[in-house]
Amino acid sequence: MADIESGERFDYVIVGAGSAGCVLAARLSEDPDVTVALLEAGGHNDKLLVNMPAGASQIFNNKNESNWAFETVPQSELGGRRLFQPRGRGWGGSSSINAMMYIRGHARDYDQWRQMGLTGWGYADVLPYFKKSQHNDSGGDAWNGEGGPLHVTRSPAGYPLQKVFVQAAAQAGFPVTRDFNGYQQEGAGIYSATIKDGKRCSTANAFLRPLVGVRPNLTVISNAHAGRLIIERKTAVGVEYAAGPGKSVKTVYAKREVILSAGAFQSPQLLLLSGIGPADELRKLGIPVEMDAPEVGRNLQDHIDCGVLYGCTKPITLYTLLKGHRQAMVGIEYMLRGTGHGRTIHLHSGAFLKTRGELDRPDVQLHFVNALMRDHGRVKAEADGFTIHTCPLRPESRGTVQLASRDPFAAPLIDPRYFTEANDMRCMRDSIRQIRDIVAQDAFKPYRGDEIAPGAQNTTDRELDTWIRATAETLYHPVGTVRMGVDDKAPVDVDLRVRGIDSLRVIDASVMPTLIGGNTNAPTIMIAEKLADSMRGRPPLPPQDAPIAEDARVAV
Ligand SMILES: Cc1cc2nc3c(=O)[nH]c(=O)nc-3n(C[C@H](O)[C@H](O)[C@H](O)COP(=O)(O)OP(=O)(O)OC[C@H]3O[C@@H](n4cnc5c(N)ncnc54)[C@H](O)[C@@H]3O)c2cc1C
């Protein structure tokens, strides 16, 4: 963690050492003739609760030095509630506090990007980059990579209920799938996770940490909060940041390019603070306009989630397994021997389902949790039970990220406008009914307790909507706020260059034009892998056409 002189110059300056930033820093610095500075607001994140997979729930649901813990503005369709919005801080960014699910989305999500004119972003184009970063513990195949830094481990279906969930889904007539990222996304199955030898495989642990002190051309500047880009004659030349205990303002300069990888809330925030955004909005705050970019901070999309709660009639859920002193013992066993419940995130099975038969891909994702989980796990479970989370995968609602003030330390105004499009509510409601159907199957019979929430008495659309509005929370996948597009209004082009400002790119989850159908860590890593090649002047990896199921009703 370097403390550099103010005004130092590097070829590339990357802001944000998160999922994308760590990958970019590692790949760009493979060229020994190139110097890279990676600026990160937080610290190194090398600590037990980050590294131990089971520690995730204790680090993502509260404000701490690894979590910015933002909240949204009051949500009109959710009774005016402000929703919690965790975001990772420090090395690895959100990949250091996330739930480690390794999911890429559906192949057709990327083909849709290509159909939007985004040449080079179809499934066949991006698949080689997913594989490049991956080391799949179960081996490589047409869809999975081997030998990459990001270790992907198939979850142990160790808890009985995880398997029961998959069996029950099959009994309810849904397909079963072996690999959500392989031939067939649709169906119920066992998740894979970014875990290596029982330790979180964040992008910090996979890509960055092994290089620190090894590559002299890579400089990581931690505890450095970027406040503004330095722009001269429509060219990004550097970054102003606050560092150290006294928060003195320093500068770092880029000979080639500045890259923003500060995530879907803070990359647009930094553009706005630097005068790149909707001109009228900037002028209201007295920020000189460098570039009128009306869609910076627009097009926010996020997965909104509900958890259907059931009691369990047998003492086999985390409530019993981690009762009393047992939870502390998990940490102690993990620290001493690296074994036990600490090695897993407890989210082992789930499903991708269609709420309407005519769809060409699943439109909801289910996560099965072997515990009663309310409000991001902040409400302590009071009995044995299980939770089946669901979220509409391609919400139609669109929101915004705006500045609260000119102060770079002030949190941005986050307004996802959840459920402002009626189909999102329809989709959530239909999915809750599918979950009820799954839990009603014979496989659950020996374990099924009462439906705790929404509660079996709530059956009409109206009753379900009321419950959804009262309990829905984010599934942590904001994207789209600096969308890539071929039209003039899109803030970045297909090479993720900011329109109208030279030597500036945004490379992170912000650039996804539409939310992919799944968790967003692997897609963000893929985006950084692909851009790193392009920035190094390498030809793109040859496209690969791995087959995908046409008729996902046929179980494989
Ligand atoms: C609680 C939680 C659970 C999740 N679970 C999963 C999951 O199981 N599977 C999955 O695939 N995805 C999951 N996600 C989503 C996934 O982790 C993110 O989509 C992905 O990490 C986003 O990567 P990014 O590079 O865009 O941003 P981030 O990884 O968030 O990185 C942004 C970085 O920029 C830094 N930064 C921000 N502003 C500044 C500034 N002004 N100056 C300097 N540095 C700055 C931040 O501190 C951070 O390190 C989860 C996310 C969260 C928060």
Side-chain angles (χ1 to χ4, degrees):
M1 279 168 280
D3 187 18
I4 62 160
E5 290 298 313
S6 188
E8 267 193 52
R9 299 167 75 82
F10 298 83
D11 288 311
Y12 295 106
V13 174
I14 303 167
V15 179
S19 294
C22 288
V23 176
L24 275 172
R27 295 301 189 194
L28 293 177
S29 64
E30 280 175 4
D31 179 349
D33 296 330
V34 155
T35 54
V36 177
L38 177 60
L39 210 73
E40 168 54 48
H44 54 68
N45 264 341
D46 195 11
K47 51 192 180 190
L48 179 71
L49 282 183
V50 169
N51 285 328
M52 179 176 75
S57 56
Q58 288 172 57
I59 204 134
F60 74 59
N61 68 15
N62 60 84
K63 194 172 173 71
N64 56 67
E65 59 176 13
S66 302
N67 190 348
W68 293 90
F70 295 128
E71 57 177 26
T72 69
V73 303
Q75 293 299 286
S76 62
E77 299 303 309
L78 297 175
R81 286 191 295 133
R82 289 178 185 270
L83 268 58
F84 182 56
Q85 273 287 357
R87 288 285 95 197
R89 187 168 183 276
W91 293 18
S94 297
S95 76
S96 285
I97 65 164
N98 72 12
M100 290 162 273
M101 302 285 92
Y102 182 78
I103 290 288
R104 299 170 178 175
H106 196 281
R108 293 195 178 109
D109 294 329
Y110 301 99
D111 285 343
Q112 191 180 326
W113 289 5
R114 191 184 51 208
Q115 282 154 17
M116 292 163 82
L118 300 169
T119 307
W121 291 96
Y123 179 60
D125 306 304
V126 301
L127 179 60
Y129 286 102
F130 277 115
K131 291 171 74 174
K132 180 180 181 184
S133 48
Q134 184 191 17
H135 177 77
N136 191 35
D137 278 3
S138 331
D141 57 24
W143 304 271
N144 289 288
E146 235 180 332
L150 188 71
H151 278 242
V152 174
T153 306
R154 197 171 163 78
S155 296
Y159 304 117
L161 286 180
Q162 306 286 350
K163 283 187 224 150
V164 166
F165 169 77
V166 178
Q167 284 160 3
Q171 288 171 353
F174 295 109
V176 171
T177 185
R178 268 199 298 266
D179 181 359
F180 294 120
N181 301 306
Y183 176 68
Q184 178 178 307
Q185 188 197 47
E186 185 179 6
I190 302 297
Y191 280 118
S192 292
T194 42
I195 294 177
K196 181 185 180 187
D197 300 331
K199 181 176 174 184
R200 174 189 289 276
C201 196
S202 63
T203 55
N205 290 343
F207 289 86
L208 186 66
R209 226 178 289 285
L211 306 179
V212 173
V214 175
R215 284 199 189 151
N217 59 334
L218 172 62
T219 303
V220 187
I221 312 168
S222 303
N223 302 308
H225 189 118
R228 197 177 67 90
L229 299 169
I230 305 167
I231 298 172
E232 290 172 1
R233 291 180 294 282
K234 303 269 180 217
T235 303
V237 296
V239 177
E240 229 173 60
Y241 65 97
K247 297 255 184 272
S248 60
V249 176
K250 290 185 169 184
T251 52
V252 57
Y253 286 93
K255 289 184 260 182
R256 294 195 192 181
E257 291 191 31
V258 175
I259 301 134
L260 294 185
S261 300
F265 298 141
Q266 287 153 296
S267 282
Q269 182 185 23
L270 271 165
L271 289 173
L272 295 167
L273 287 167
S274 310
I276 303 166
D280 48 344
E281 239 174 79
L282 298 174
R283 285 197 193 101
K284 271 189 211 146
L285 289 169
I287 298 173
V289 179
E290 287 288 350
M291 175 70 205
D292 182 15
E295 289 208 17
V296 168
R298 299 296 193 267
N299 195 44
L300 171 62
Q301 298 158 61
D302 189 17
H303 284 145
I304 185 80
D305 178 271
C306 281
V308 182
L309 301 165
Y310 289 89
C312 179
T313 54
K314 291 203 162 50
I316 54 170
T317 73
L318 294 183
Y319 171 73
T320 298
L321 297 176
L322 301 180
K323 213 172 174 179
H325 70 287
R326 289 185 199 146
Q327 183 156 10
M329 291 308 291
V330 167
I332 293 169
E333 179 184 350
Y334 184 85
M335 271 194 298
L336 293 179
R337 286 191 254 136
T339 54
H341 289 292
R343 291 170 66 88
T344 152
I345 175 72
H346 309 300
L347 263 171
H348 298 167
S349 59
F352 285 84
L353 305 179
K354 292 176 181 168
T355 60
R356 287 176 297 165
E358 72 273 17
L359 296 173
D360 70 351
R361 60 204 120 142
D363 63 337
V364 289
Q365 180 181 3
L366 275 50
H367 290 87
F368 183 89
V369 182
N370 192 28
L372 293 174
M373 186 177 173
R374 292 189 180 95
D375 186 19
H376 311 270
R378 294 189 286 201
V379 177
K380 219 171 156 44
E382 68 286 3
D384 274 298
F386 55 91
T387 310
I388 305 178
H389 286 269
T390 179
C391 71
L393 283 172
R394 287 173 206 83
E396 292 172 15
S397 304
R398 296 288 183 272
T400 57
V401 174
Q402 291 176 300
L403 292 181
S405 81
R406 295 178 59 163
D407 176 4
F409 294 106
L413 297 173
I414 299 166
D415 186 5
R417 303 181 71 243
Y418 296 118
F419 294 117
T420 47
E421 290 295 329
N423 190 52
D424 299 348
M425 186 61 85
R426 193 272 318 149
C427 191
M428 182 71 96
R429 205 191 292 136
D430 287 353
S431 181
I432 291 169
R433 291 184 170 127
Q434 286 180 330
I435 289 172
R436 285 176 163 171
D437 192 19
I438 292 172
V439 179
Q441 301 302 316
D442 278 352
F444 268 114
K445 208 169 169 188
Y447 312 101
R448 189 174 50 229
D450 291 339
E451 182 183 304
I452 298 169
Q457 72 284 2
N458 291 317
T459 55
T460 63
D461 286 3
R462 211 185 159 137
E463 285 162 347
L464 289 182
D465 292 0
T466 303
W467 177 76
I468 291 166
R469 289 182 204 287
T471 59
E473 290 288 338
T474 178
L475 194 71
Y476 324 114
H477 300 153
V479 306
T481 48
V482 192
R483 80 172 164 94
M484 96 173 119
V486 287
D487 57 299
D488 290 345
K489 282 196 181 148
V492 295
D493 65 17
V494 285
D495 296 317
L496 309 188
R497 293 180 193 278
V498 174
R499 283 207 162 75
I501 301 289
D502 286 340
S503 305
L504 178 61
R505 298 193 211 226
V506 176
I507 303 179
D508 61 20
S510 332
V511 304
M512 294 186 206
T514 53
L515 187 45
I516 53 86
N519 316 64
T520 43
N521 189 41
T524 306
I525 292 170
M526 173 279 290
I527 290 169
E529 286 278 21
K530 189 165 154 52
L531 257 291
D533 254 7
S534 148
M535 290 172 72
R536 293 181 66 190
R538 297 171 145 203
L541 293 175
Q544 285 176 25
D545 244 332
I548 60 157
E550 284 305 319
D551 180 3
R553 293 260 133 206
V554 183
V556 290

